[in-house]
Each structure stands twice: as C-alpha cells, then as structure tokens.
Amino acid sequence: MTNDISTLIPIRDHDGQQVASGRDLHAYLGVNSNYTTWFDRMVGYGFIEGQDFIALLSNSGKQVHGGANKTDHAVTFDMAKELGMIQRTPEGKRIRQYFIEAEKKAAMASAPKTYLEALKVAAEIEESRLALEAQVEADKPKVIFADAVSTSKSSILVGELAKLICANGVNIGQNRLFTRLRSDGFLIRRKGTDWNMPTQRSMDMGLFRVKETAVTHSDGHVSVNKTPKVTGKGQQYFINYFLSDGAHGGEAA
C-alpha cells in the first residue's frame, strides 16, 4: 500500500473550490473511533457547515438530502490543516504541511504567467480602486451628515437645518426650506397662529418638537411664542429627503 499522502488524500474540485475528503483524512490519521463519531467531535471545535465543510454521499460527489446514507464530507484546506493540528500526531503534522504546500501551489497556478497577464491584473485592481474611490466620494455627504447628527442630540432651528443641508451639497436657504416644508406637508401652510408649525403627521413621525416661550408684556399680560425645532431624527430624515430628491437650486433670498 502506498504511503504517498497525495495518493491517500487526493485533492478534489467541488463547485470550483479545492477540497479533501473527510473520510480520507480520518483514514490517514488512523483514528480509533468510527468516522461519524470522530467527525461530529471535530465539528464541535467550531467548524461551520457550508463554510468549512459540506456533507456528501460517500464517493458520489452528491450532496446528502436525508436518509441513513453513508456520508463523507468535502473539507476545505483550512479545516483540513486544523484537523491535523488537533490530532497532535506525526500524521496530523504531515497533513498540515501537505495542505500548506497545496495552497502555495494553487496560489502559484493562479498568478500571472506573462507580462500581459500581469498588466491585465494590475488594470483590474486599478479599476476596482477607482470605482471604490468614486463610491466613497458619492457617499461622502451622507457620511458627513450621519457623523454630524450622531454627535448632536439637540434639536435645531429650521434655519440651522438649511445650513446643514447646504453643507451636504443641496443649495437651499432658510426661506426656501420653509416653503418646501410647507408645500410638502411637513409644516402648516394655513395662515394664522399655527402657520409654520409642524403638521400632525410631522409630530407623529418625531421630526419636530415645538418650543414654547412665555413672554410677559409691559401691560402685564403673558403670551406664548411657539418655535418649531427639528429633532435629531428629523435632521437625518430631511437630509436624506433632500439628497434623494435632488433639490439643487439657487438659494432663496
């Protein structure tokens, strides 16, 4: 019987990934317990089905779909190396070294073999890098806004919200923002004592709170001034609202 480890534990291709047979590993290691008992015990070390191994019908290459069939497992290189280390035997050490060398050969096989292939790989890497930079740049306003809101738990005035929206690339002034918020149903547009106050919908959504300030006049009577303020949740909502709306335009006077 051959002692060549590559013959005893052949490397196979399973769905585009190089794997080894769990039963081959079990046999090479000379484990006393039966395969199923041993493998179940090994899985207890934290290996994950579908990530580190896949259950197969023994010697068939087909995935198990239940029943009492004799099973094997397609084991990844990483799991095979760890299984070898767990055993703490000379055979386990040879298994680990065997799969380290197999990984090196696979890496060499996939490396560019000519100058043109190397140029193509470099071009693909550069294209990916530029695409990533473009995406980061496109997301920057949202990231800036998210950072600003996350560090502020206080409510702000509508005029301050307009400045925050401008800082994130949508050119809009306080007056124009008030107009949009009224026309889009966030603030009351009916002239009267409630003009520019949040609508019931806005309050239910938690976008605004109303600050009430008591004012004592010279004749002794007291009135209450109401000021709409945008909550942290409202700030986040409106910056996303205007960014997705694309409301870019000249600032109102």
Side-chain angles (χ1 to χ4, degrees):
M1 182 176 178
T2 179
N3 290 319
D4 184 3
I5 189 170
S6 63
T7 302
L8 297 174
I9 311 177
I11 293 170
R12 306 166 183 174
D13 183 86
H14 181 78
D15 292 338
Q17 183 179 18
Q18 289 190 312
V19 297
S21 160
R23 286 188 175 275
D24 288 346
L25 291 168
H26 175 263
Y28 185 83
L29 288 166
V31 180
N32 291 328
S33 57
N34 66 60
Y35 174 72
T36 301
T37 301
W38 171 78
F39 196 85
D40 288 345
R41 189 170 67 249
M42 294 301 101
V43 171
Y45 282 92
F47 298 112
I48 300 171
E49 185 169 8
Q51 177 178 312
D52 299 305
F53 67 91
I54 298 173
L56 304 170
L57 286 173
S58 183
N59 300 321
S60 71
K62 296 180 181 178
Q63 192 163 350
V64 174
H65 294 289
N69 297 304
K70 187 177 181 181
T71 61
D72 192 2
H73 296 87
V75 175
T76 64
F77 281 10
D78 284 342
M79 181 174 176
K81 286 187 295 183
E82 290 194 52
L83 291 178
M85 293 172 66
I86 289 170
Q87 306 310 309
R88 300 181 181 275
T89 63
E91 289 80 9
K93 185 175 181 180
R94 282 195 290 272
I95 281 178
R96 180 175 178 275
Q97 190 60 42
Y98 170 57
F99 283 101
I100 289 175
E101 292 301 320
E103 284 181 327
K104 290 179 181 179
K105 291 178 181 178
M108 292 178 63
S110 63
K113 297 178 178 59
T114 66
Y115 180 66
L116 289 178
E117 287 181 356
L119 285 179
K120 182 179 179 181
V121 171
E124 290 173 350
I125 293 173
E126 179 66 8
E127 184 179 354
S128 297
R129 185 186 68 80
L130 292 175
L132 180 60
E133 286 185 356
Q135 186 61 49
V136 169
E137 190 65 27
D139 289 341
K140 187 180 292 183
K142 297 179 183 179
V143 173
I144 292 173
F145 172 75
D147 289 343
V149 173
S150 66
T151 57
S152 174
K153 296 181 181 179
S154 61
S155 300
I156 63 174
L157 297 170
V158 172
E160 294 171 327
L161 175 63
K163 293 177 182 178
L164 186 56
I165 294 173
C166 281
N168 285 275
V170 179
N171 190 18
I172 191 168
Q174 173 178 304
N175 292 346
R176 187 177 173 196
L177 179 56
F178 266 112
T179 300
R180 279 294 306 272
L181 293 176
R182 289 195 300 268
S183 65
D184 290 358
F186 296 108
L187 297 179
I188 295 173
R189 53 188 173 186
R190 180 183 63 254
K191 290 295 182 70
T193 56
D194 289 335
W195 190 58
N196 275 346
M197 290 296 105
T199 61
Q200 188 60 50
R201 167 199 173 201
S202 293
M203 295 298 289
D204 290 343
M205 293 172 66
L207 305 180
F208 289 93
R209 71 177 185 87
V210 177
K211 179 182 179 182
E212 296 186 348
T213 305
V215 179
T216 302
H217 298 270
S218 58
D219 61 1
H221 84 276
V222 178
S223 63
V224 177
N225 289 345
K226 295 182 178 181
T227 306
K229 301 197 75 174
V230 188
T231 64
K233 179 180 180 180
Q235 295 166 49
Q236 185 172 11
Y237 178 88
F238 286 119
I239 194 69
N240 290 327
Y241 182 82
F242 279 89
L243 284 173
S244 61
D245 176 62
H248 300 273
E251 183 175 343

